Amino acid sequence: MSRIGVFICHCGENISRTVDVERVAAQVGTLPGVAFSTDYKYMCSDPGQGLLKKAIQEQRLSHVVVAACSPRMHEKTFRKAVESAGLNPFLCEMANIREHCSWVHEDREEATQKAIEIVGMMVERVKKNRVLPTITVPVTKRSLVIGGGIAGIQAALDIADCGHEVVLVEREPSIGGHMAQLSETFPTLDCSQCIMTPKMVDVANHPKIKLYTYAEIEHVEGYIGNFQVTVRKKARSVDEDKCTGCGVCMTKCPQKKIPNTFDRNLGMRPAIYVPFPQAVPNTPVIDRENCTKFKTGKCGVCQKVCGPGAVDYEQEDQLIVEPVGAIVVATGFDLYSIEEKPKGSPIKGYGEFGHGKIPDVIDGMTFERLASASGPTGGKILRPSDGREPKQIVFIQCVGSRAREKGISYCSKICCMYTAKHTMLYHHKVHDGQAYVFFMDARTPGKSYDEFWRRSIEEEEAVYIRGMVSRLYQKGDKIVVMGSDIAVGVQVEIEADMVVLATAVQPQKGADTLAQKLGISYDKYHFYSEAHAKLRPVECATAGIYLAGACQGPKDIPDTVSQASAAAAKVMTLFAKDKLEREPIVAKVREAGCVGCFYCRKVCPYGAVEEKEIRDRQGNLIKVVAYVNPGVCGGCGTCQATCPSKSVELDGYTDEQIVAMIESL
Amino acid sequence: MTNSIDTSIYTAITEAIQDEARRILSERSVIAVVGYTAARRKGSAQPVVITQADDAGKLIFSAACVNNLAVYLTKAKKEIPKGGKIGIVVKGCDLKALVGLLGESQLKREELYLIGVPCAGVLASTAQPARELTGDTIAPKCRECDNHLPQGCDFVPDQRPVTLELAGKYSAEIARLEAMTPAERWAYWKEQFKKCIKCYACRQVCPFCFCEQCLCDRNKPQMVETTPRPAGNTAWHIVRAMHLAGRCAGCAECERVCPMDIPLNLLNRKMAKELKELYDYEAGFEVREKGPLAMYDEKDDQSFIK
Ligand SMILES: Cc1cc2nc3c(=O)[nH]c(=O)nc-3n(C[C@H](O)[C@H](O)[C@H](O)COP(=O)(O)OP(=O)(O)OC[C@H]3O[C@@H](n4cnc5c(N)ncnc54)[C@H](O)[C@@H]3O)c2cc1C
Ligand code: SF4
Ligand code: SF4
Ligand code: SF4
Ligand code: SF4
Ligand code: SF4
C-alpha cells in the first residue's frame, strides 16, 4: 500500500487567495493511499522543503505530491528535496494548482473544487510511478553559434577563448551583421567599424573558431550535449582555399549595376562581390541571379582574370554535419518596411507616408550608410534623388513600433537613441542645416543615455516636436510633413528636404523556420522566447539552446554584447562537466506487443529508435522489434502517441499513469 | 442486358497464372504460391497455398476471387512456409495493400514474386458466386477502381480488361454525408456503430491490422471497452478508422466480411479523401518510407494553428 504525502502550497497568496488550501489538504487527505496531507505558505522555501523531508522520514512516505506552481520551475527543486530524504526523485510529482487553477479562476468555491480534482489526479498518477535511475550522457564540448552579428561574434569569441571549439554559421557572405553597417554609435559616438572590424578579424584568426559564411542551418537532430547539426554551405562559386582576396575579379566584372543591399541599395556592386571592403572572410561570392555567366552562359571574365584559379562556376551547395553540445542562436533583427505588405502579413505598411515611394524618405539604417565614412557618399549626407545636401531634415520616431493598428505593439527600444544620434551626426556634417524630430516620448534609460539625448537638444539644437505625423507627400522637390505638436496643441507643417523614419525592429525573416528546426519557441512577432522572462533570460526552454542579441527582442549593442557573453557563460557551464545527468524520462518498447512496423522510428525526432532482432534459443529469428536507445531518446513521447499497438511507452508518462489520472475524474 | 461486364479474359488469365506458378515452383524460385482455387459451391472461389508444381492446375481466377490475399502474408503468416520467396496472386486493389506493407517493414520486396491480375472487377458480397458480372452485381469498390492493371509486378498475364463507366457509390455516399450537418452525420454513424457486435472479423481480414496485440485488446490499462456497447463500439470504430487513415487503399474486405453490414469502407474512403485533399497523398501506389501522417513538413498546412 502506498503512503503518499501531499503538500499544498499557498505560494504566498498566489494560490491561497482563490483556493481554500486547507480544505484541499483536508479533502485530499481522505483519499485512499494518502498517509499525510498538509499545507504551507511557501513549499519551495527552505523551511518548506524541510517540512517535506521531515514528513518523508517521520511518516515513512512512499510517494510525494506537491501541489503548487507549474513543474517547469520547481519540479527539480522538490525532486532534489525528496532525493535528499532518501526517496527516488521520480516518486515525486507536482500538481499545478497555480497556472492551471488559482491564476485563471475567480470563484473561490469552484477553484477549490478544481484544485481538489487536480491534486486527486496526481495522487492516482503517483501511485503508478516507478523508481527510475538517473541516466548520464557524454557532452560534446563544441558549440554552434548561429548568426555572425555582434552577438554571435561575442559569444563565439568568449567560448573559443575558454578553449572550446566553436562553429559559427552566418547566412550572408560576411560576418558583421547590422553593426558593420552603422556609422558612429551611441552613447559615445565612436566609429562602429573601428570597434567592430578587429573583432571580426579575431573570429577569422581564432584557432578554435570554424567559420561558415554564406551558410545556413539545414537540419538539427539530437539534444543537449549531443546535437547533430547539418549546415548547408551555399555555393559561393569561389574556392575559399585558393582565393587570395586580391579583388581583381570584382574590378573586372562587366556587370556592375547591381544595387548593394549592404549600402541599402544606394551604391552599386558587381556580380562577383564582397558586401563591404572589410568583409570577413575577404572571399568574394558570385550572385548567381545577376551574373551574366549564370544567366546566359557567356562572359566568364572573372574566371579568366583570377590568378590562383579560384573561380568555380560548377561549385555546388555542400552539406556538412557538425556534432555540437550547445547552440547559441544570434540571428538578430530586420527592419520594418513601410511598403505595402502582401495579404496575410500582420504588417500594414504606411500608405500615409507614400508606401516607400518618395525617394528622399529613407529609414534609419539608410541614414547610417549616408553618414558612414565608408558608405556610398563617403560620409556626406546627400539626398538619394538628386545628390543635394538637405537643409531641413525631419526624423520621425516610432514608425511601426507601438502602433497596434500597424501590427506591432512593442517599443523597438533603440530608435529614440539612434535618432538623437542621427540629429547630432547631421548637425556635425551640415552646419547650416536644421533637424526636427517628431516623437511620442523619449525613452532613454541606460548609462549616459539621457545625457546623450539632452545633448542633442541642448547643445546640438535639434528641435523635438512631441506629436505624430499624419501624412508625408512630395511637393516639387520638397517633402511636406504634416503633423501635430500636442505640447502646444497646434498642427505643424514642415517642408523638408529629407525625412528619416525610425522603423521598427523586427526579427529576421525566416526566424520561425529556424525555430522549428531547432525546436525552440517564439512569440507572435517571431522573436525567440527565453525560458523565464526574469530568471532565465538567455536560455531557451529547450535544453542546450541559448539566445543572444536582437533575435530575442530589440536591443542595442551594450545589451546585445552582455547577453552574448551571458549565453557563452551558460555554454561554458555546460561544458565544465564531462557527463550530463539527464532525466530518465525515456521511451521503452514492450517487445511482446511490438510488430516492427517502425512507425516509431519514422516519427522519432531524435533518431533514437533502432532495430532489434529477437531470436529463440536455437538462434532462429523470431521477429524484429523496435529498440529505443536511452542515451539518444529525448523523452518527447511522439512514438508513444504514434504506435498503433501501444507497444512503446515513456517512463514516467505511461498509459497506466495517464489513464489513472483520467479515471480519477 | 447492356451492363454486363466482359470477363472472358479470366479464362486466359487462369491459364497464364497456372503456367507461371508451375514454372516458378518447379524452378524452385519460390517455395509457395498464394492464390485462389475453386471452392465447393458452384462458381465460388477460396484462397489456397500451393507448394508443389503439380498443384498449379488448381489455381483459378474468376469474378468470385474477392479475397485480398495480402492478409495471408501478415497475420496468418504461420500458415505460409518459411525460408524462401513467396509467389502471390494480386489484383490491383490487393497490390496497394502489399505496397503499404512493404513500406511498413512487414514484407520485403525481394522475398515476394508478384503475379498481377488484369482485373475487370469481382462480384459484390451480396451477389451469388455463380452470377454473371454486371453493373449491378459488381462489388462497389470496383465501380471506382483506379488500378485495373497492376504495375510493378514480376508477371502479369498479357490480357487487357474491358471496363464499364459506372457511377461511384462511395463518392455519392460521401457527398451525401458531407452535405449533412455534423449532428445528422453523428446520428448516422452512431446508428451504424450501434450494430457492431465486436466480432472483429473486419480486423481479422484487414491486411493492415497486423498488430499481434490490438490496442483494443489491451487491459492494463484498458483502452477500449470490450463489450459491444455503444461507447466502446464507437471507440473501436474511431481507432480502426484512424489507424487505417493514410494506409488503407480500399480493398473493402472489412466491409465484405462484416456480418452486420456496417459501411466500413465508406469511413475508410472518407479518410482517404481527407488525405488526398490535405496532403495530396494516395496510399498504395508507391512504397514510401513515411506517409503524411508520420511526418512533419514545413510546407504542411499550418492554418489550423490559431
Ligand atoms: C539604424 C540603427 C542604428 C543603430 N545604432 C546603434 C548605436 O548607435 N548604438 C547601439 O548600441 N546600437 C545601435 N543599433 C542597434 C544594433 O544594430 C543592434 O543592437 C545589433 O546590431 C544587434 O546585434 P545582433 O548580433 O543581435 O544582430 P544583427 O546585427 O542583426 O546580426 C545578426 C546576424 O545573424 C545573421 N543571420 C540571421 N539569420 C540567420 C540564419 N538563419 N542563419 C545564419 N545567420 C543568420 C545575419 O545575417 C546577421 O549577420 C542600431 C540599430 C539600427 C537599426
Ligand atoms: S510503432 Fe510500436 S509496434 Fe511499431 S515498431 Fe514501434 S513499438 Fe513496435
Ligand atoms: S520518446 Fe520516442 S519518439 Fe521521443 S525521442 Fe524517445 S524514442 Fe524518440
Ligand atoms: S477494385 Fe479494381 S482491382 Fe480490385 S477487384 Fe475491383 S476491379 Fe479488380
Ligand atoms: S466486422 Fe462488423 S460487427 Fe464485426 S467488429 Fe467489425 S464492424 Fe463490428
Ligand atoms: S485497429 Fe489498430 S491496433 Fe488494432 S490491429 Fe488494427 S492497426 Fe493494430
Side-chain angles (χ1 to χ4, degrees), chain A residues 494-614:
Chain A
I494 299 174
E495 294 207 344
D497 298 309
M498 191 177 210
V499 174
V500 182
L501 309 177
T503 47
V505 171
Q506 287 188 284
Q508 284 276 356
K509 275 176 217 78
D512 51 342
T513 321
L514 180 66
Q516 287 155 10
K517 288 180 187 168
L518 291 164
I520 61 176
S521 45
Y522 45 89
D523 65 17
K524 70 172 173 180
Y525 302 107
H526 298 179
F527 283 118
Y528 298 142
S529 308
E530 61 284 347
H532 189 283
K534 284 152 281 179
L535 299 181
R536 292 172 69 197
V538 306
E539 295 142 285
C540 286
T542 310
I545 304 186
Y546 308 93
L547 299 173
C551 61
Q552 181 246 0
K555 268 184 203 68
D556 55 22
I557 298 165
D559 280 1
T560 298
V561 173
S562 317
Q563 198 191 14
S565 288
K570 288 284 170 192
V571 171
M572 290 165 331
T573 316
L574 174 66
F575 290 176
K577 298 183 211 117
D578 293 324
K579 277 192 187 299
L580 206 66
E581 278 200 355
R582 54 155 306 185
E583 280 198 331
I585 306 296
V586 293
K588 279 208 186 85
V589 175
R590 194 170 53 89
E591 291 174 358
C594 172
V595 276
C597 64
F598 292 104
Y599 265 100
C600 48
R601 185 173 57 189
K602 293 174 196 178
V603 299
C604 175
Y606 293 86
V609 182
E610 298 164 13
E611 284 184 16
K612 178 178 170 187
E613 294 185 339
I614 309 254

Side-chain angles (χ1 to χ4, degrees), chain B residues 190-204:
Chain B
K190 239 167 59 182
E191 206 46 46
Q192 295 298 334
F193 298 156
K194 215 167 79 183
K195 299 192 284 188
C196 177
I197 53 170
K198 287 261 178 84
C199 68
Y200 288 133
C202 51
R203 186 175 76 185
Q204 201 57 24

